Amino acid sequence: MAVSADPLVLDFVEWVAREPRSHAEVLATWKTSCPRLTIWEDAVDLGYVARAMIADVGAAIVVTPAGTQLLRDNGRVVS
Protein backbone atom coordinates (compact mmCIF):
# COMPACT_ATOMS: atom_id res chain seq x y z
CA MET A 1 0.00 0.00 0.00
CA ALA A 2 1.51 3.32 -1.06
CA VAL A 3 2.27 5.91 1.58
CA SER A 4 1.14 9.34 0.48
CA ALA A 5 4.27 11.38 -0.10
CA ASP A 6 5.21 14.48 -2.01
CA PRO A 7 6.44 13.33 -5.45
CA LEU A 8 9.46 15.62 -5.18
CA VAL A 9 10.38 14.10 -1.81
CA LEU A 10 10.17 10.68 -3.44
CA ASP A 11 12.39 11.88 -6.30
CA PHE A 12 14.90 13.29 -3.82
CA VAL A 13 15.02 10.15 -1.68
CA GLU A 14 15.41 8.02 -4.81
CA TRP A 15 18.27 10.26 -6.01
CA VAL A 16 20.07 9.91 -2.67
CA ALA A 17 19.44 6.15 -2.66
CA ARG A 18 21.53 5.77 -5.83
CA GLU A 19 24.67 6.79 -3.88
CA PRO A 20 25.55 8.78 -0.77
CA ARG A 21 25.66 12.50 -1.58
CA SER A 22 27.77 15.18 0.03
CA HIS A 23 26.00 18.00 1.82
CA ALA A 24 27.42 20.43 -0.77
CA GLU A 25 26.11 18.31 -3.65
CA VAL A 26 22.64 18.18 -2.08
CA LEU A 27 22.59 21.94 -1.60
CA ALA A 28 23.85 22.63 -5.11
CA THR A 29 21.47 20.21 -6.80
CA TRP A 30 18.32 20.78 -4.76
CA LYS A 31 18.63 24.48 -3.90
CA THR A 32 15.62 26.70 -4.42
CA SER A 33 14.72 30.32 -4.00
CA CYS A 34 11.21 29.38 -2.88
CA PRO A 35 10.89 29.16 0.91
CA ARG A 36 7.88 26.84 0.51
CA LEU A 37 9.83 24.29 -1.52
CA THR A 38 11.94 22.58 1.12
CA ILE A 39 12.28 19.13 -0.41
CA TRP A 40 15.46 17.93 1.22
CA GLU A 41 14.68 19.52 4.58
CA ASP A 42 11.29 17.79 4.48
CA ALA A 43 12.97 14.45 3.75
CA VAL A 44 15.29 14.94 6.74
CA ASP A 45 12.41 15.98 9.02
CA LEU A 46 10.37 12.93 7.94
CA GLY A 47 13.32 10.63 8.67
CA TYR A 48 13.86 9.50 5.07
CA VAL A 49 17.45 10.74 4.81
CA ALA A 50 20.14 11.55 7.37
CA ARG A 51 23.73 12.69 7.67
CA ALA A 52 26.30 9.94 8.15
CA MET A 53 30.07 9.57 8.15
CA ILE A 54 31.27 7.16 5.47
CA ALA A 55 34.82 5.85 5.24
CA ASP A 56 36.73 7.36 2.29
CA VAL A 57 33.81 9.77 1.65
CA GLY A 58 33.38 11.73 4.87
CA ALA A 59 30.10 13.41 5.80
CA ALA A 60 27.32 12.39 3.45
CA ILE A 61 23.56 12.38 3.10
CA VAL A 62 22.21 8.81 3.00
CA VAL A 63 18.82 7.13 2.84
CA THR A 64 17.52 5.73 6.13
CA PRO A 65 15.61 2.46 6.48
CA ALA A 66 12.41 4.55 6.56
CA GLY A 67 13.42 6.16 3.27
CA THR A 68 14.11 2.77 1.71
CA GLN A 69 10.70 1.57 2.86
CA LEU A 70 9.05 4.70 1.47
CA LEU A 71 10.61 4.00 -1.93
CA ARG A 72 9.47 0.36 -1.85
CA ASP A 73 5.95 1.33 -0.77
CA ASN A 74 5.72 3.68 -3.73
CA GLY A 75 7.12 1.32 -6.34
CA ARG A 76 10.46 3.08 -6.66
CA VAL A 77 13.59 1.12 -7.45
CA VAL A 78 15.82 0.55 -4.44
CA SER A 79 19.39 -0.52 -5.07
Side-chain angles (χ1 to χ4, degrees), residues 16-79:
V16 173
R18 290 185 195 123
E19 65 184 84
R21 309 291 181 160
S22 71
H23 185 266
E25 182 180 11
V26 170
L27 287 177
T29 304
W30 290 86
K31 70 180 177 179
T32 178
S33 60
C34 178
R36 293 182 183 214
L37 189 60
T38 57
I39 302 307
W40 90 275
E41 291 92 342
D42 293 346
V44 169
D45 290 346
L46 292 166
Y48 300 143
V49 298
R51 292 180 190 171
M53 292 300 290
I54 298 176
D56 299 327
V57 174
I61 307 300
V62 299
V63 174
T64 65
T68 299
Q69 189 62 51
L70 176 76
L71 293 174
R72 286 190 181 121
D73 289 349
N74 285 275
R76 300 289 180 112
V77 176
V78 179
S79 46

Short mmCIF file of all heavy atoms in Angstrom, two decimals, residues 16-79:
data_model
loop_
_atom_site.label_atom_id
_atom_site.label_comp_id
_atom_site.label_asym_id
_atom_site.label_seq_id
_atom_site.Cartn_x
_atom_site.Cartn_y
_atom_site.Cartn_z
N VAL A 16 19.07 10.19 -3.72
CA VAL A 16 20.07 9.91 -2.67
C VAL A 16 20.33 8.41 -2.56
O VAL A 16 21.46 7.99 -2.30
CB VAL A 16 19.63 10.50 -1.31
CG1 VAL A 16 20.57 10.07 -0.19
CG2 VAL A 16 19.55 12.02 -1.38
N ALA A 17 19.29 7.60 -2.78
CA ALA A 17 19.44 6.15 -2.66
C ALA A 17 20.42 5.59 -3.69
O ALA A 17 21.03 4.54 -3.46
CB ALA A 17 18.08 5.46 -2.81
N ARG A 18 20.59 6.26 -4.80
CA ARG A 18 21.53 5.77 -5.83
C ARG A 18 22.96 5.75 -5.33
O ARG A 18 23.75 4.89 -5.71
CB ARG A 18 21.43 6.64 -7.08
CG ARG A 18 20.13 6.45 -7.82
CD ARG A 18 20.11 7.22 -9.13
NE ARG A 18 18.76 7.28 -9.60
CZ ARG A 18 18.11 8.42 -9.87
NH1 ARG A 18 18.72 9.59 -9.73
NH2 ARG A 18 16.87 8.38 -10.27
N GLU A 19 23.33 6.73 -4.48
CA GLU A 19 24.67 6.79 -3.88
C GLU A 19 24.66 7.87 -2.81
O GLU A 19 23.90 8.83 -2.92
CB GLU A 19 25.74 7.10 -4.93
CG GLU A 19 25.62 8.46 -5.56
CD GLU A 19 26.64 8.69 -6.65
OE1 GLU A 19 26.39 8.26 -7.78
OE2 GLU A 19 27.69 9.29 -6.35
N PRO A 20 25.46 7.72 -1.79
CA PRO A 20 25.55 8.78 -0.77
C PRO A 20 25.97 10.09 -1.44
O PRO A 20 26.79 10.10 -2.36
CB PRO A 20 26.63 8.28 0.18
CG PRO A 20 26.66 6.80 -0.02
CD PRO A 20 26.33 6.59 -1.47
N ARG A 21 25.38 11.18 -1.00
CA ARG A 21 25.66 12.50 -1.58
C ARG A 21 26.26 13.40 -0.51
O ARG A 21 25.84 13.37 0.65
CB ARG A 21 24.37 13.14 -2.09
CG ARG A 21 23.53 12.27 -3.00
CD ARG A 21 24.19 12.05 -4.34
NE ARG A 21 23.32 11.23 -5.19
CZ ARG A 21 23.42 11.17 -6.48
NH1 ARG A 21 24.35 11.87 -7.12
NH2 ARG A 21 22.62 10.40 -7.18
N SER A 22 27.21 14.22 -0.92
CA SER A 22 27.77 15.18 0.03
C SER A 22 26.74 16.27 0.30
O SER A 22 25.85 16.53 -0.52
CB SER A 22 29.05 15.80 -0.53
OG SER A 22 28.74 16.68 -1.60
N HIS A 23 26.89 16.90 1.45
CA HIS A 23 26.00 18.00 1.82
C HIS A 23 26.06 19.08 0.74
O HIS A 23 25.02 19.62 0.33
CB HIS A 23 26.41 18.54 3.19
CG HIS A 23 25.50 19.59 3.72
ND1 HIS A 23 25.72 20.92 3.53
CD2 HIS A 23 24.35 19.48 4.44
CE1 HIS A 23 24.76 21.61 4.11
NE2 HIS A 23 23.91 20.76 4.67
N ALA A 24 27.25 19.40 0.27
CA ALA A 24 27.42 20.43 -0.77
C ALA A 24 26.70 20.04 -2.06
O ALA A 24 26.08 20.88 -2.70
CB ALA A 24 28.90 20.67 -1.03
N GLU A 25 26.78 18.77 -2.44
CA GLU A 25 26.11 18.31 -3.65
C GLU A 25 24.59 18.42 -3.50
O GLU A 25 23.90 18.84 -4.42
CB GLU A 25 26.50 16.87 -3.96
CG GLU A 25 25.87 16.33 -5.23
CD GLU A 25 26.25 14.89 -5.53
OE1 GLU A 25 26.84 14.21 -4.66
OE2 GLU A 25 25.94 14.44 -6.63
N VAL A 26 24.08 18.07 -2.32
CA VAL A 26 22.64 18.18 -2.08
C VAL A 26 22.20 19.64 -2.20
O VAL A 26 21.22 19.95 -2.87
CB VAL A 26 22.25 17.59 -0.71
CG1 VAL A 26 20.82 17.93 -0.35
CG2 VAL A 26 22.47 16.09 -0.70
N LEU A 27 22.94 20.52 -1.54
CA LEU A 27 22.59 21.94 -1.60
C LEU A 27 22.66 22.48 -3.03
O LEU A 27 21.78 23.22 -3.45
CB LEU A 27 23.51 22.76 -0.70
CG LEU A 27 23.28 22.63 0.80
CD1 LEU A 27 24.32 23.45 1.55
CD2 LEU A 27 21.88 23.06 1.17
N ALA A 28 23.69 22.12 -3.76
CA ALA A 28 23.85 22.63 -5.11
C ALA A 28 22.78 22.09 -6.06
O ALA A 28 22.28 22.82 -6.92
CB ALA A 28 25.24 22.27 -5.65
N THR A 29 22.41 20.84 -5.89
CA THR A 29 21.47 20.21 -6.80
C THR A 29 20.02 20.53 -6.46
O THR A 29 19.20 20.69 -7.35
CB THR A 29 21.68 18.68 -6.80
OG1 THR A 29 23.05 18.41 -7.13
CG2 THR A 29 20.79 18.00 -7.81
N TRP A 30 19.70 20.62 -5.19
CA TRP A 30 18.32 20.78 -4.76
C TRP A 30 18.04 22.15 -4.16
O TRP A 30 17.05 22.33 -3.47
CB TRP A 30 17.94 19.68 -3.77
CG TRP A 30 17.85 18.36 -4.45
CD1 TRP A 30 18.88 17.49 -4.69
CD2 TRP A 30 16.69 17.76 -5.02
NE1 TRP A 30 18.42 16.40 -5.37
CE2 TRP A 30 17.08 16.53 -5.58
CE3 TRP A 30 15.35 18.14 -5.10
CZ2 TRP A 30 16.17 15.69 -6.22
CZ3 TRP A 30 14.45 17.30 -5.74
CH2 TRP A 30 14.86 16.09 -6.29
N LYS A 31 18.87 23.15 -4.44
CA LYS A 31 18.63 24.48 -3.90
C LYS A 31 17.40 25.10 -4.58
O LYS A 31 17.04 24.73 -5.70
CB LYS A 31 19.83 25.38 -4.07
CG LYS A 31 20.10 25.79 -5.50
CD LYS A 31 21.29 26.68 -5.59
CE LYS A 31 21.57 27.00 -7.05
NZ LYS A 31 22.67 27.87 -7.23
N THR A 32 16.78 26.01 -3.89
CA THR A 32 15.62 26.70 -4.42
C THR A 32 15.55 28.09 -3.83
O THR A 32 16.06 28.33 -2.74
CB THR A 32 14.32 25.92 -4.11
OG1 THR A 32 13.21 26.66 -4.62
CG2 THR A 32 14.13 25.71 -2.63
N SER A 33 14.92 28.98 -4.53
CA SER A 33 14.72 30.32 -4.00
C SER A 33 13.33 30.44 -3.38
O SER A 33 12.98 31.49 -2.85
CB SER A 33 14.90 31.36 -5.11
OG SER A 33 13.95 31.12 -6.13
N CYS A 34 12.56 29.36 -3.43
CA CYS A 34 11.21 29.38 -2.88
C CYS A 34 11.21 28.83 -1.45
O CYS A 34 11.53 27.65 -1.25
CB CYS A 34 10.28 28.53 -3.75
SG CYS A 34 8.61 28.44 -3.10
N PRO A 35 10.86 29.64 -0.47
CA PRO A 35 10.89 29.16 0.91
C PRO A 35 9.85 28.07 1.19
O PRO A 35 9.94 27.37 2.18
CB PRO A 35 10.61 30.42 1.74
CG PRO A 35 9.97 31.37 0.80
CD PRO A 35 10.47 31.03 -0.57
N ARG A 36 8.89 27.89 0.32
CA ARG A 36 7.88 26.84 0.51
C ARG A 36 8.29 25.53 -0.12
O ARG A 36 7.60 24.53 0.04
CB ARG A 36 6.54 27.29 -0.07
CG ARG A 36 5.95 28.44 0.69
CD ARG A 36 4.63 28.81 0.12
NE ARG A 36 4.11 29.97 0.83
CZ ARG A 36 2.85 30.18 1.06
NH1 ARG A 36 1.96 29.32 0.64
NH2 ARG A 36 2.47 31.24 1.70
N LEU A 37 9.37 25.51 -0.86
CA LEU A 37 9.83 24.29 -1.52
C LEU A 37 11.08 23.80 -0.79
O LEU A 37 12.20 24.13 -1.13
CB LEU A 37 10.14 24.57 -3.00
CG LEU A 37 10.44 23.38 -3.88
CD1 LEU A 37 9.24 22.42 -3.92
CD2 LEU A 37 10.77 23.84 -5.29
N THR A 38 10.86 23.03 0.24
CA THR A 38 11.94 22.58 1.12
C THR A 38 12.10 21.07 1.03
O THR A 38 12.01 20.36 2.04
CB THR A 38 11.65 23.01 2.56
OG1 THR A 38 10.39 22.46 2.94
CG2 THR A 38 11.62 24.51 2.72
N ILE A 39 12.30 20.57 -0.15
CA ILE A 39 12.28 19.13 -0.41
C ILE A 39 13.26 18.37 0.48
O ILE A 39 12.89 17.43 1.16
CB ILE A 39 12.57 18.83 -1.89
CG1 ILE A 39 11.54 19.53 -2.78
CG2 ILE A 39 12.62 17.34 -2.15
CD1 ILE A 39 10.10 19.25 -2.44
N TRP A 40 14.51 18.77 0.47
CA TRP A 40 15.46 17.93 1.22
C TRP A 40 15.33 18.13 2.72
O TRP A 40 15.50 17.20 3.48
CB TRP A 40 16.86 18.05 0.66
CG TRP A 40 17.77 19.09 1.21
CD1 TRP A 40 17.85 20.39 0.83
CD2 TRP A 40 18.76 18.90 2.21
NE1 TRP A 40 18.83 21.02 1.54
CE2 TRP A 40 19.42 20.13 2.40
CE3 TRP A 40 19.16 17.81 2.97
CZ2 TRP A 40 20.43 20.30 3.30
CZ3 TRP A 40 20.18 17.99 3.87
CH2 TRP A 40 20.81 19.21 4.04
N GLU A 41 14.93 19.32 3.15
CA GLU A 41 14.68 19.52 4.58
C GLU A 41 13.48 18.68 5.02
O GLU A 41 13.48 18.11 6.11
CB GLU A 41 14.44 21.00 4.88
CG GLU A 41 15.66 21.87 4.72
CD GLU A 41 15.78 22.47 3.33
OE1 GLU A 41 15.14 21.97 2.38
OE2 GLU A 41 16.55 23.43 3.17
N ASP A 42 12.45 18.61 4.17
CA ASP A 42 11.29 17.79 4.48
C ASP A 42 11.68 16.32 4.61
O ASP A 42 11.22 15.62 5.51
CB ASP A 42 10.21 17.93 3.40
CG ASP A 42 9.58 19.32 3.37
OD1 ASP A 42 9.77 20.09 4.33
OD2 ASP A 42 8.90 19.63 2.37
N ALA A 43 12.53 15.84 3.70
CA ALA A 43 12.97 14.45 3.75
C ALA A 43 13.75 14.15 5.02
O ALA A 43 13.60 13.08 5.61
CB ALA A 43 13.82 14.12 2.51
N VAL A 44 14.55 15.11 5.48
CA VAL A 44 15.29 14.94 6.74
C VAL A 44 14.30 14.92 7.91
O VAL A 44 14.35 14.04 8.77
CB VAL A 44 16.33 16.07 6.94
CG1 VAL A 44 16.90 16.05 8.36
CG2 VAL A 44 17.45 15.95 5.93
N ASP A 45 13.39 15.89 7.93
CA ASP A 45 12.41 15.98 9.02
C ASP A 45 11.53 14.74 9.11
O ASP A 45 11.14 14.32 10.21
CB ASP A 45 11.52 17.21 8.86
CG ASP A 45 12.25 18.52 9.09
OD1 ASP A 45 13.38 18.49 9.64
OD2 ASP A 45 11.70 19.58 8.71
N LEU A 46 11.22 14.13 7.97
CA LEU A 46 10.37 12.93 7.94
C LEU A 46 11.16 11.65 8.22
O LEU A 46 10.59 10.58 8.30
CB LEU A 46 9.66 12.83 6.59
CG LEU A 46 8.61 13.92 6.33
CD1 LEU A 46 8.22 13.95 4.86
CD2 LEU A 46 7.41 13.71 7.22
N GLY A 47 12.49 11.79 8.34
CA GLY A 47 13.32 10.63 8.67
C GLY A 47 13.68 9.76 7.49
O GLY A 47 14.11 8.63 7.66
N TYR A 48 13.55 10.28 6.27
CA TYR A 48 13.86 9.50 5.07
C TYR A 48 15.32 9.55 4.67
O TYR A 48 15.82 8.66 4.00
CB TYR A 48 13.01 9.95 3.88
CG TYR A 48 11.53 9.81 4.11
CD1 TYR A 48 10.64 10.76 3.63
CD2 TYR A 48 10.99 8.73 4.81
CE1 TYR A 48 9.28 10.63 3.81
CE2 TYR A 48 9.63 8.60 5.01
CZ TYR A 48 8.78 9.56 4.50
OH TYR A 48 7.43 9.43 4.70
N VAL A 49 16.02 10.61 5.04
CA VAL A 49 17.45 10.74 4.81
C VAL A 49 18.10 11.29 6.07
O VAL A 49 17.42 11.90 6.90
CB VAL A 49 17.79 11.65 3.59
CG1 VAL A 49 17.23 11.09 2.29
CG2 VAL A 49 17.31 13.07 3.81
N ALA A 50 19.41 11.08 6.20
CA ALA A 50 20.14 11.55 7.37
C ALA A 50 21.60 11.79 7.00
O ALA A 50 22.06 11.29 5.97
CB ALA A 50 20.05 10.53 8.50
N ARG A 51 22.28 12.50 7.85
CA ARG A 51 23.73 12.69 7.67
C ARG A 51 24.44 11.49 8.29
O ARG A 51 24.03 10.99 9.33
CB ARG A 51 24.19 13.96 8.35
CG ARG A 51 23.66 15.18 7.68
CD ARG A 51 24.11 16.43 8.36
NE ARG A 51 23.35 17.55 7.79
CZ ARG A 51 23.37 18.75 8.27
NH1 ARG A 51 24.09 19.04 9.32
NH2 ARG A 51 22.65 19.70 7.71
N ALA A 52 25.51 11.06 7.64
CA ALA A 52 26.30 9.94 8.15
C ALA A 52 27.74 10.14 7.73
O ALA A 52 28.03 10.79 6.73
CB ALA A 52 25.77 8.63 7.59
N MET A 53 28.65 9.57 8.51
CA MET A 53 30.07 9.57 8.15
C MET A 53 30.36 8.26 7.44
O MET A 53 30.03 7.18 7.96
CB MET A 53 30.94 9.70 9.40
CG MET A 53 30.83 11.06 10.07
SD MET A 53 31.32 12.44 9.01
CE MET A 53 33.07 12.16 8.89
N ILE A 54 30.96 8.34 6.26
CA ILE A 54 31.27 7.16 5.47
C ILE A 54 32.78 7.15 5.21
O ILE A 54 33.35 8.16 4.79
CB ILE A 54 30.50 7.18 4.13
CG1 ILE A 54 29.00 7.15 4.40
CG2 ILE A 54 30.92 6.02 3.24
CD1 ILE A 54 28.15 7.25 3.17
N ALA A 55 33.38 6.00 5.46
CA ALA A 55 34.82 5.85 5.24
C ALA A 55 35.16 6.22 3.80
O ALA A 55 34.44 5.84 2.87
CB ALA A 55 35.25 4.42 5.54
N ASP A 56 36.23 6.93 3.60
CA ASP A 56 36.73 7.36 2.29
C ASP A 56 35.82 8.37 1.59
O ASP A 56 36.09 8.75 0.46
CB ASP A 56 36.97 6.16 1.36
CG ASP A 56 38.00 5.21 1.89
OD1 ASP A 56 38.94 5.67 2.57
OD2 ASP A 56 37.87 4.00 1.65
N VAL A 57 34.71 8.77 2.23
CA VAL A 57 33.81 9.77 1.65
C VAL A 57 33.70 10.97 2.59
O VAL A 57 33.72 12.10 2.18
CB VAL A 57 32.40 9.19 1.38
CG1 VAL A 57 31.44 10.27 0.92
CG2 VAL A 57 32.47 8.06 0.35
N GLY A 58 33.58 10.68 3.89
CA GLY A 58 33.38 11.73 4.87
C GLY A 58 31.90 11.91 5.16
O GLY A 58 31.11 10.97 5.04
N ALA A 59 31.50 13.13 5.50
CA ALA A 59 30.10 13.41 5.80
C ALA A 59 29.28 13.30 4.52
O ALA A 59 29.65 13.84 3.48
CB ALA A 59 29.96 14.80 6.40
N ALA A 60 28.17 12.60 4.62
CA ALA A 60 27.32 12.39 3.45
C ALA A 60 25.86 12.35 3.88
O ALA A 60 25.53 12.16 5.04
CB ALA A 60 27.70 11.09 2.76
N ILE A 61 24.99 12.54 2.91
CA ILE A 61 23.56 12.38 3.10
C ILE A 61 23.20 11.01 2.56
O ILE A 61 23.53 10.68 1.41
CB ILE A 61 22.76 13.48 2.36
CG1 ILE A 61 23.26 14.88 2.73
CG2 ILE A 61 21.27 13.33 2.62
CD1 ILE A 61 23.16 15.23 4.19
N VAL A 62 22.54 10.19 3.38
CA VAL A 62 22.21 8.81 3.00
C VAL A 62 20.73 8.55 3.28
O VAL A 62 20.10 9.24 4.07
CB VAL A 62 23.08 7.79 3.77
CG1 VAL A 62 24.56 7.97 3.46
CG2 VAL A 62 22.83 7.89 5.27
N VAL A 63 20.21 7.54 2.62
CA VAL A 63 18.82 7.13 2.84
C VAL A 63 18.75 6.27 4.10
O VAL A 63 19.60 5.40 4.33
CB VAL A 63 18.29 6.35 1.62
CG1 VAL A 63 16.91 5.78 1.89
CG2 VAL A 63 18.25 7.26 0.41
N THR A 64 17.75 6.51 4.91
CA THR A 64 17.52 5.73 6.13
C THR A 64 16.66 4.51 5.79
O THR A 64 16.10 4.43 4.69
CB THR A 64 16.77 6.58 7.17
OG1 THR A 64 15.47 6.88 6.64
CG2 THR A 64 17.52 7.86 7.52
N PRO A 65 16.53 3.58 6.72
CA PRO A 65 15.61 2.46 6.48
C PRO A 65 14.18 2.94 6.19
O PRO A 65 13.49 2.35 5.35
CB PRO A 65 15.69 1.66 7.79
CG PRO A 65 17.09 1.93 8.28
CD PRO A 65 17.33 3.38 7.94
N ALA A 66 13.75 4.01 6.84
CA ALA A 66 12.41 4.55 6.56
C ALA A 66 12.32 5.08 5.13
O ALA A 66 11.29 4.92 4.46
CB ALA A 66 12.07 5.66 7.55
N GLY A 67 13.40 5.68 4.65
CA GLY A 67 13.42 6.16 3.27
C GLY A 67 13.38 5.02 2.28
O GLY A 67 12.69 5.08 1.26
N THR A 68 14.13 3.95 2.57
CA THR A 68 14.11 2.77 1.71
C THR A 68 12.71 2.17 1.67
O THR A 68 12.21 1.80 0.60
CB THR A 68 15.12 1.72 2.22
OG1 THR A 68 16.43 2.31 2.17
CG2 THR A 68 15.10 0.47 1.38
N GLN A 69 12.06 2.11 2.82
CA GLN A 69 10.70 1.57 2.86
C GLN A 69 9.73 2.46 2.10
O GLN A 69 8.84 1.97 1.40
CB GLN A 69 10.23 1.40 4.31
CG GLN A 69 8.92 0.64 4.42
CD GLN A 69 9.04 -0.78 3.87
OE1 GLN A 69 9.94 -1.51 4.25
NE2 GLN A 69 8.15 -1.15 2.98
N LEU A 70 9.89 3.77 2.21
CA LEU A 70 9.05 4.70 1.47
C LEU A 70 9.17 4.45 -0.03
O LEU A 70 8.17 4.40 -0.75
CB LEU A 70 9.45 6.15 1.78
CG LEU A 70 8.69 7.20 0.98
CD1 LEU A 70 7.27 7.36 1.52
CD2 LEU A 70 9.43 8.52 1.00
N LEU A 71 10.40 4.26 -0.50
CA LEU A 71 10.61 4.00 -1.93
C LEU A 71 9.93 2.70 -2.34
O LEU A 71 9.24 2.64 -3.36
CB LEU A 71 12.11 3.94 -2.24
CG LEU A 71 12.86 5.27 -2.08
CD1 LEU A 71 14.35 5.03 -2.28
CD2 LEU A 71 12.33 6.32 -3.03
N ARG A 72 10.11 1.66 -1.55
CA ARG A 72 9.47 0.36 -1.85
C ARG A 72 7.95 0.49 -1.87
O ARG A 72 7.29 -0.03 -2.76
CB ARG A 72 9.89 -0.69 -0.84
CG ARG A 72 11.29 -1.18 -1.03
CD ARG A 72 11.56 -2.39 -0.15
NE ARG A 72 12.92 -2.82 -0.35
CZ ARG A 72 13.84 -2.89 0.61
NH1 ARG A 72 13.53 -2.61 1.85
NH2 ARG A 72 15.06 -3.27 0.32
N ASP A 73 7.41 1.18 -0.87
CA ASP A 73 5.95 1.33 -0.77
C ASP A 73 5.36 2.09 -1.96
O ASP A 73 4.18 1.94 -2.26
CB ASP A 73 5.58 2.06 0.52
CG ASP A 73 5.79 1.23 1.77
OD1 ASP A 73 6.04 0.00 1.65
OD2 ASP A 73 5.75 1.81 2.87
N ASN A 74 6.19 2.88 -2.61
CA ASN A 74 5.72 3.68 -3.73
C ASN A 74 6.23 3.17 -5.08
O ASN A 74 6.21 3.90 -6.07
CB ASN A 74 6.12 5.15 -3.52
CG ASN A 74 5.23 5.79 -2.48
OD1 ASN A 74 4.14 6.27 -2.79
ND2 ASN A 74 5.66 5.79 -1.23
N GLY A 75 6.71 1.94 -5.10
CA GLY A 75 7.12 1.32 -6.34
C GLY A 75 8.38 1.88 -6.96
O GLY A 75 8.61 1.73 -8.16
N ARG A 76 9.20 2.53 -6.16
CA ARG A 76 10.46 3.08 -6.66
C ARG A 76 11.54 2.03 -6.54
O ARG A 76 11.53 1.20 -5.64
CB ARG A 76 10.86 4.32 -5.88
CG ARG A 76 9.86 5.47 -5.93
CD ARG A 76 9.82 6.12 -7.31
NE ARG A 76 8.86 7.21 -7.34
CZ ARG A 76 9.20 8.48 -7.47
NH1 ARG A 76 10.46 8.85 -7.58
NH2 ARG A 76 8.25 9.41 -7.50
N VAL A 77 12.49 2.08 -7.44
CA VAL A 77 13.59 1.12 -7.45
C VAL A 77 14.52 1.43 -6.30
O VAL A 77 14.90 2.58 -6.09
CB VAL A 77 14.35 1.18 -8.79
CG1 VAL A 77 15.56 0.27 -8.77
CG2 VAL A 77 13.42 0.84 -9.94
N VAL A 78 14.87 0.40 -5.55
CA VAL A 78 15.82 0.55 -4.44
C VAL A 78 17.00 -0.32 -4.74
O VAL A 78 16.86 -1.53 -4.96
CB VAL A 78 15.16 0.13 -3.10
CG1 VAL A 78 16.16 0.27 -1.97
CG2 VAL A 78 13.91 0.92 -2.84
N SER A 79 18.19 0.28 -4.79
CA SER A 79 19.39 -0.52 -5.07
C SER A 79 20.14 -0.84 -3.82
O SER A 79 19.93 -0.37 -2.78
CB SER A 79 20.29 0.21 -6.04
OG SER A 79 20.46 1.55 -5.71
#
